[in-house]
Amino acid sequence: MGELGEPREVMRTADDVARPVAGPGQLLVRVRAAAVNFPDALMVRGQYQVRPPLPFTPGVELCGEVVDGARRGKRVIGNPVLPHGAFAEYALLDAAAAFPAPEALDDAEASALHIGYQTAWFALHRRARLRAGETLLVHAAAGGVGSAAVQLGRAAGARVIAVVGGPAKAETARALGADLVVDRTAEDFVAAVKAATGGRGADVVFDPVGGDAYNGSARCVAFEGRIVVVGFAAGQIPAPALNHALVKNYSILGLHWGLYNTRDPQAVREAHEELTKLADAGVVRPLVGARLPFAAAADAVQRVADGLSVGRLVVLPD
C-alpha cells in the first residue's frame, strides 16, 4: 500500500513487488496463512506506534514455510519483519523469533496462536498472576485476543465471565466455555458481575477495549483485584481515578506484549512452549472466524477495524 487511510480504500493487491531477500539472522518464508489483527488496521491508518515507511505490505502475524537453510520446509509462526508484512506470498521472519507451528493446529489456526495467545498468557499469568478458583472478567470475549483469554482462563482453573456485544457473539463465548456470558448491548455488565459474585466482583479483568469497558470494570473489580489494560479497541483511552484504586485496593496493570520480544525473549519462548502443550492437548484452539482468499485481505482488515469480526479472520494466499 502506498498511502494511509481506511483499509478498504488504501489496501491494493500488486503483482510487481519483488520477493524480499533474507538478511543475516532472517528467514524467508512462504506465507501459508496470515491472521488479521487490530494493529493491522491501526498501522494502515497510520495510528499505530510502529509506522513503516510507505510503501509497505501490512500483516503482523503469519504461519509460513521456511524456503531455504537448515529449517527449510519447516512450518513456523511469528511476526514478519516490516515493511514485508504477512499479506503477501513471501515474508521475512527474525530467525530467533520464528517458533515451530504446533502440529495439532492447521495453518490458519497456527497463524492465530502467536499474538493473541501470547498477549493473553502474559496478561493472565505474568502480570495478573491469575489463580485457580478466581473470577476472571474478559471484555471482547468473542474477539481474537478475548477468545484466547477465555480459553486460557478456563485452562488456569478460573471462573470466566465473558462480556460481548450481541447475541451471535454471546453464542460464540458460550461455545468457548465461558461460565457466564453477558451481552453488553442488552444488560449492564457491572450489575451482572456483582450479581454473579455475590457483590465481591472480579478478581482479574482482561481489558483490550478501554473506554466504558474500563470504567465499568473499575466499578466491579474485587478487593485486591487486578485490571490488566491490554488495548483500546473502543478508541477511547480512559483516565483512571487513582484515588478510586486506592480506596478499593485494586491494581491497574499495563501490558505491552511486544516489549517482551526485546526485553525478555526467553519468556516469549517459554510461553510458546506452554501454549504448544495446551494446543497439543486440545485445551486451546484458536477461534478462526473465517478463512478468506487473498483478494479479501482489505475487507478483512476493515471488518476487524469496525468490530464486525468473531475470533481471528485469516487470509490464505492463493
Side-chain angles (χ1 to χ4, degrees):
M1 49 174 283
E3 60 180 320
L4 302 176
E6 288 301 298
R8 282 200 188 100
E9 297 173 2
V10 300
M11 288 179 62
R12 298 287 184 270
T13 58
D15 298 324
D16 58 349
V17 178
R19 180 188 297 189
V21 177
Q26 295 180 336
L27 299 174
L28 176 66
V29 299
R30 181 174 64 83
V31 179
R32 298 177 63 141
V36 182
N37 289 263
F38 191 68
D40 291 321
L42 295 179
M43 197 175 297
V44 169
R45 290 169 169 170
Q47 298 172 347
Y48 196 55
Q49 55 260 38
V50 177
R51 299 188 179 186
L54 294 169
F56 69 91
T57 301
V60 297
E61 184 176 31
L62 63 78
C63 173
E65 179 181 331
V66 180
V67 172
D68 50 27
R71 298 167 75 176
R72 181 179 180 180
K74 300 293 186 182
R75 274 199 323 153
V76 294
I77 63 174
N79 309 125
V81 179
L82 298 173
H84 305 292
F87 302 136
E89 185 178 1
Y90 292 92
L92 300 177
L93 296 177
D94 283 325
F99 300 99
E103 294 183 3
L105 305 180
D106 65 23
D107 293 339
E109 293 166 337
S111 76
L113 181 73
H114 195 51
I115 295 177
Y117 281 81
Q118 285 269 347
T119 296
W121 178 272
F122 275 85
L124 300 183
H125 293 289
R126 179 89 172 214
R127 303 296 286 138
R129 306 292 181 185
L130 179 68
R131 297 184 292 270
E134 289 190 313
T135 296
L136 168 65
L137 173 61
V138 179
H139 288 284
V145 68
S147 61
V150 171
Q151 291 184 356
L152 290 176
R154 291 283 294 165
R159 180 191 187 193
V160 179
I161 300 177
V163 178
V164 298
K169 292 185 177 181
E171 288 301 317
T172 297
R174 291 189 187 96
L176 288 168
D179 298 281
L180 174 65
V181 178
V182 182
D183 180 358
R184 59 176 173 77
T185 67
E187 59 181 315
D188 177 14
F189 79 82
V190 175
V193 170
K194 289 182 177 180
T197 59
R200 184 175 183 278
D203 298 291
V204 174
V205 178
F206 181 87
D207 180 18
V209 178
D212 292 339
Y214 175 88
N215 296 331
S217 297
R219 292 164 50 205
C220 64
V221 66
F223 170 75
E224 291 196 330
R226 292 86 79 198
I227 301 176
V228 188
V229 178
V230 180
F232 311 105
Q236 302 171 346
I237 300 177
L242 297 185
N243 61 319
H244 191 257
L246 183 151
V247 299
K248 283 192 69 174
N249 276 38
Y250 65 84
S251 301
I252 304 167
L253 305 169
L255 175 69
H256 177 194
W257 171 74
L259 282 180
Y260 288 98
N261 287 305
T262 55
R263 299 292 184 87
D264 193 352
Q266 180 58 31
V268 176
R269 288 190 287 271
E270 292 171 357
H272 177 74
E273 292 172 0
E274 293 300 319
L275 291 170
T276 298
K277 292 176 183 177
L278 291 173
D280 289 342
V283 176
V284 302
R285 181 171 294 275
L287 173 62
V288 178
R291 300 164 190 249
L292 303 166
F294 186 77
D299 184 68
V301 176
Q302 189 71 58
R303 286 167 59 185
V304 170
D306 295 340
L308 301 178
S309 60
V310 172
R312 276 279 183 257
L313 301 184
V314 176
V315 174
L316 303 175
D318 299 331

